[in-house]
Amino acid sequence: MPSRYHHLSRAQLAVLVPELLLIGHLIDRAGMPFCLEAWGEDQMTQVAIEEWAGASPIYTRRMQRALAFEGDDVPTIFKGMQLDIGAPPQFMDFRYSVTDRWHGGFHLDHCGALLDVEPMGPGMVKNMCHDIEDPTFDATAVATNPRARMRPIHRPPRTPSDRQPHCAWTVDIEPDSPEVQPIPALAVNERSHAATLVLDGIDPAQDGLADYSGALVSDFDFGAFSHSALVRMADEVVLQNHLLNLSFHLAVRQRAADDDATFHRVVSRQLIGHAGVAAERLHKAMGLGDTPQDAAYLIELHPLMNPQPYTEFSRDGETVTVSRSLAHEDAGWLSLCTPDTPDALRSIVRAVNPYLDVEIAGTDTDWTARVVLTDTAARESGEVAVTKFSKGAAFQFEPRKSLPLFVK
């Protein structure tokens, strides 16, 4: 079954994929404020650790298989990081170096995540750059080689306050290092439909690169890849979005326990904030207009409704239809969108035009939504406003030259 991104041109896809990577990164920014509100700083930190560690090994292996760069060495780890929503290009500006297959390092010339939390003080910086990074970097390595270790040379809080680069790390794989053990939530997430979904293969006959089996490059050149490869990347990246969100749900449920009201409040507000900010970025990147039809098309492009085999979705003009799907069975984002809970869809269409709204009819899993023009402009939701605290909401990509990285 063709991807919903198949109709886009190769040039459009080269713009879309990095956008989807950055959009995925903002899932965390959309959810953490509500975890902080519900359970405090220490538990918010633990949610962030479990969120990333319960998802990144799954989607890293998926991307390795899709683009044929499976391996067990340092360059393989770095290739995976370049296509990881945890390290979106330029916003998290990783600069890699390789000494040999088993040793290398990286530094960040620009860490958007750091710039987001520095205004909150050194305590929040330590939470992110020490408490969260140590276990989640190890979890990233689990996907490639459980004996890999990422260790800091220096990291924030910055001394002096304008220190550059923002941080620097070594990456070493030693045969006598004990293997990193995955967290229990990873095994749960591995059983999800999102983890096991089969997507169409890449057509090797098209113009452009069909895989990333060649040399590691300094900046990933999306435009160098074929239309088919970019479609597969886009679908894999939106699956990363879903897997990270499912992992977030597991961590939130662990703390909410039987308090369904708190669970639904936290995960729903995360979705509303993320949906709106993601829609704003996609609307601008794809150069869409402000009509109801444009808004319905934006819903079709949104990670919420992709990839094609995971969600049952169709569009006719300004009307979209959703049917029960694998995404509902996973009880992720799509299960939070019903005729009684339309705020995430409203968040998307109002990113196109504040005068737009949605009229939804049907059941919790089978419904039709029509985008309509109203006489009154809606105010931006609090959830979207909170997510926009991240500089990633307005970040602009710049042209980069992609150069191969060789062993020193």
Side-chain angles (χ1 to χ4, degrees):
M1 185 179 295
S3 165
R4 292 197 187 93
Y5 299 126
H6 183 78
H7 70 281
L8 296 173
S9 70
R10 185 177 168 189
Q12 287 176 313
L13 288 163
V15 172
L16 176 71
V17 177
E19 283 291 339
L20 293 173
L21 285 164
L22 180 50
I23 285 166
H25 194 76
L26 295 176
I27 293 169
D28 184 83
R29 301 299 180 272
M32 288 305 112
F34 306 113
C35 294
L36 178 64
E37 178 183 68
W39 300 296
E41 190 172 315
D42 288 346
Q43 286 303 307
M44 178 201 70
T45 300
Q46 289 303 311
V47 169
I49 292 168
E50 294 169 28
E51 171 193 46
W52 290 102
S56 66
I58 303 171
Y59 63 62
T60 297
R61 293 187 190 109
R62 286 190 59 97
M63 191 67 83
Q64 288 176 344
R65 291 192 298 269
L67 292 182
F69 64 92
E70 291 176 282
D72 60 357
D73 57 10
V74 167
T76 304
I77 293 173
F78 291 165
K79 287 181 178 183
M81 291 171 70
Q82 288 177 323
L83 291 162
D84 188 325
I85 57 176
Q90 300 185 27
F91 184 68
M92 304 292 289
D93 199 7
F94 283 76
R95 304 287 88 199
Y96 300 102
S97 63
V98 179
T99 303
D100 57 42
R101 285 188 61 197
W102 313 115
H103 303 90
F106 60 82
H107 66 266
L108 268 72
D109 281 345
H110 177 278
C111 178
L114 172 65
L115 299 181
D116 283 348
V117 301
E118 274 188 327
M120 302 179 193
M124 287 295 285
V125 171
K126 179 183 177 298
N127 280 349
M128 184 184 74
C129 299
H130 296 244
D131 302 338
I132 295 173
E133 290 293 12
D134 285 352
T136 54
F137 271 153
D138 281 349
T140 297
V142 165
T144 299
N145 192 322
R147 298 189 189 280
R149 296 292 184 274
M150 302 186 187
R151 296 294 180 260
I153 299 169
H154 69 82
R155 55 178 164 177
R158 289 193 280 174
T159 304
S161 60
D162 60 350
R163 183 173 188 174
Q164 292 286 349
H166 288 171
C167 66
W169 296 68
T170 59
V171 181
D172 299 295
I173 300 173
E174 304 294 350
D176 57 349
S177 292
E179 294 191 355
V180 174
Q181 297 303 309
I183 67 169
L186 180 66
V188 178
N189 214 8
E190 284 177 330
R191 295 193 292 271
S192 68
H193 293 295
T196 57
L197 191 72
V198 176
L199 295 170
D200 288 346
I202 296 170
D203 181 357
Q206 291 186 1
D207 290 340
L209 297 174
D211 59 50
Y212 193 12
S213 60
L216 170 72
V217 295
S218 58
D219 288 280
F220 193 87
D221 183 4
F222 296 93
F225 285 78
S226 69
H227 180 273
S228 180
L230 287 166
V231 167
R232 179 61 184 270
M233 279 185 227
D235 280 342
E236 289 290 347
V237 174
V238 291
L239 271 182
Q240 291 187 18
N241 280 239
H242 287 287
L243 284 162
L244 186 67
N245 176 63
L246 291 174
S247 193
F248 176 75
H249 281 209
L250 289 171
V252 170
R253 175 57 78 184
Q254 181 76 17
R255 279 135 192 96
D258 295 330
D259 184 352
D260 288 340
T262 297
F263 173 80
H264 284 288
R265 182 173 67 252
V266 171
V267 298
S268 295
R269 298 190 77 183
Q270 176 250 50
L271 171 58
I272 293 165
H274 180 261
V277 172
E280 284 195 23
R281 289 201 62 92
L282 288 175
H283 179 255
K284 182 177 180 181
M286 305 310 292
L288 301 179
D290 62 357
T291 68
Q293 290 82 3
D294 289 308
Y297 178 53
L298 184 60
I299 294 172
E300 182 178 346
L301 296 178
H302 201 282
L304 174 64
M305 298 299 176
N306 286 282
Q308 172 85 344
Y310 191 57
T311 63
E312 295 293 335
F313 172 93
S314 61
R315 177 178 61 88
D316 182 8
E318 71 277 7
T319 300
V320 300
T321 300
V322 164
S323 303
R324 183 175 181 85
S325 64
L326 298 175
H328 288 100
E329 293 182 22
D330 276 349
W333 273 334
L334 203 52
S335 67
L336 302 174
C337 297
T338 73
D340 293 328
T341 54
D343 285 346
L345 290 177
R346 284 176 172 158
S347 190
I348 294 173
V349 303
R350 288 168 179 169
V352 172
N353 183 339
Y355 286 89
L356 295 179
D357 201 350
V358 288
E359 296 176 346
I360 311 179
T363 69
D364 285 354
T365 58
D366 297 81
W367 47 261
T368 296
R370 187 167 69 94
V371 184
V372 296
L373 185 64
T374 71
D375 295 328
T376 305
R379 296 180 61 182
E380 182 175 80
S381 72
E383 292 86 354
V384 170
V386 166
T387 307
K388 284 185 176 179
F389 179 81
S390 172
K391 294 176 175 62
F395 184 79
Q396 294 184 359
F397 294 106
E398 64 182 24
R400 291 282 183 89
K401 182 175 288 188
S402 183
L403 299 172
L405 294 174
F406 300 103
V407 174
K408 291 181 178 178

